[in-house]
Amino acid sequence: MTTFAPDSLDLNRKLPLWYQVSQSLRASILGRSPKDPLRLPTEDALAAHYGVSVLTMRQALKELEAEGLISRHRRRGTFIEPSARRGAPVRLLGSVDTIVAQQSGMSTELLDHGPTAVPAELAEYFPELTEVGGFRRLRGDEETGEPTNHACNYVRPDVAALIDPQDLVRWPMTKVLRDAVGVRISRITDTVEARLADPETARLLRVPLLSPILHYTGVTYDEDGRPVDVARIHYRGDRFSFTVTLEAH
């Protein structure tokens, strides 16, 4: 039986290895194609793929099993749960792979894309530009089709020109920037605040006008410290929560 092929991972030695591996594998699972096989490679094969010990790999798999994304069967192997719930709370933790994992696993509709004026409130991130590449997407629950968040990305023009818009239907912007375009991401800053839904947001998310929403702003920086992408995402307040976890190491 052919096994599922997870993405690669650049390990960050400042974070627990098992955690990074679990988040990378989680992103691969949630972003998989429906045609991809459900069976995972063996523990030994996965450990070799990620460059970690079998013990670390086992701990990572235990985390995904607890989340309900995989099931493990003696003698048969480890399998992706096709019915696993994917509308998990958003948790802001410590790696790019975590962010990719949190953005994965939703149905995505690309609403529009193309050159757009830099919004006044984002001018500080693109001080030398008047125009950037804009991408608008509506994401929802794969099972019910219910819209859950509306994402607007403002990308530096030279980078936006390299993006295949259809990649954004399957993959999160962070993954497209890193893996498809080749941006070397140095950091991502996140800001979350409570707001009330304006008419356009209420229409897209199918919620009453002035309903509570979570407004997220994420700024992605390249290795030179320049903002590459500014994401503004409106999450339905009744479907998402944000949790910040600090690891003491």
Side-chain angles (χ1 to χ4, degrees):
M1 177 187 296
T2 303
T3 57
F4 177 73
D7 294 337
S8 58
L9 168 66
D10 292 326
L11 292 171
N12 180 342
R13 297 294 166 178
K14 295 182 180 180
L15 294 171
L17 296 182
W18 69 266
Y19 169 72
Q20 295 179 71
V21 170
S22 71
Q23 291 303 303
S24 178
L25 186 52
R26 182 180 190 273
S28 295
I29 289 173
L30 293 179
R32 73 190 187 280
S33 165
K35 296 180 180 179
D36 288 340
L38 296 177
R39 185 173 187 172
L40 290 180
T42 64
E43 283 183 356
D44 288 345
L46 284 170
H49 173 77
Y50 286 114
V52 298
S53 69
V54 173
L55 185 62
T56 296
M57 192 67 239
R58 194 168 295 157
Q59 189 173 3
L61 291 173
K62 183 178 180 181
E63 177 79 3
L64 296 179
E65 185 178 26
E67 191 178 339
L69 288 178
I70 63 173
S71 59
R72 311 182 73 190
H73 307 274
R74 188 179 296 245
R75 297 190 183 90
R76 290 181 52 217
T78 302
F79 295 83
I80 298 169
E81 285 291 334
S83 60
R85 185 68 176 171
R86 302 183 181 189
V90 177
R91 293 182 174 86
L92 305 183
L93 300 171
S95 71
V96 172
D97 285 283
T98 299
I99 293 173
V100 171
Q102 290 156 358
Q103 296 173 349
S104 302
M106 298 180 186
S107 63
T108 301
E109 177 186 356
L110 183 63
L111 298 177
D112 56 57
H113 63 89
T116 186
V118 176
E121 62 272 25
L122 302 184
E124 63 179 295
Y125 301 111
F126 306 105
E128 76 286 9
L129 299 173
T130 58
E131 194 174 77
V132 290
F135 300 86
R136 285 202 317 132
R137 290 162 296 151
L138 184 63
R139 298 184 293 198
D141 187 290
E142 284 193 336
E143 296 179 2
T144 66
E146 180 182 45
T148 57
N149 67 85
H150 172 225
C152 297
N153 290 82
Y154 302 89
V155 184
R156 210 171 62 215
D158 57 315
V159 176
L162 302 176
I163 295 175
D164 181 346
Q166 289 307 308
D167 282 345
L168 292 172
V169 176
R170 178 179 178 187
W171 294 326
M173 177 63 83
T174 305
K175 179 176 176 63
V176 171
L177 290 174
R178 186 189 65 178
D179 298 342
V181 177
V183 173
R184 296 181 65 85
I185 297 173
S186 63
R187 63 190 173 97
I188 299 175
T189 62
D190 302 295
T191 303
V192 182
E193 58 183 310
R195 291 190 180 181
L196 300 179
D198 57 35
E200 176 68 1
T201 300
R203 181 184 68 82
L204 289 170
L205 298 184
R206 302 179 197 169
V207 296
L209 183 64
L210 302 182
S211 294
I213 60 172
L214 293 175
H215 178 78
Y216 163 90
T217 301
V219 185
T220 300
Y221 296 84
D222 64 16
E223 61 183 343
D224 295 322
R226 297 182 302 170
V228 175
D229 165 51
V230 179
R232 296 196 302 184
I233 308 176
H234 290 136
Y235 291 94
R236 283 181 52 159
D238 60 344
R239 292 297 305 274
F240 287 92
S241 64
F242 282 77
T243 302
V244 177
T245 298
L246 300 178
E247 299 285 349
H249 291 283

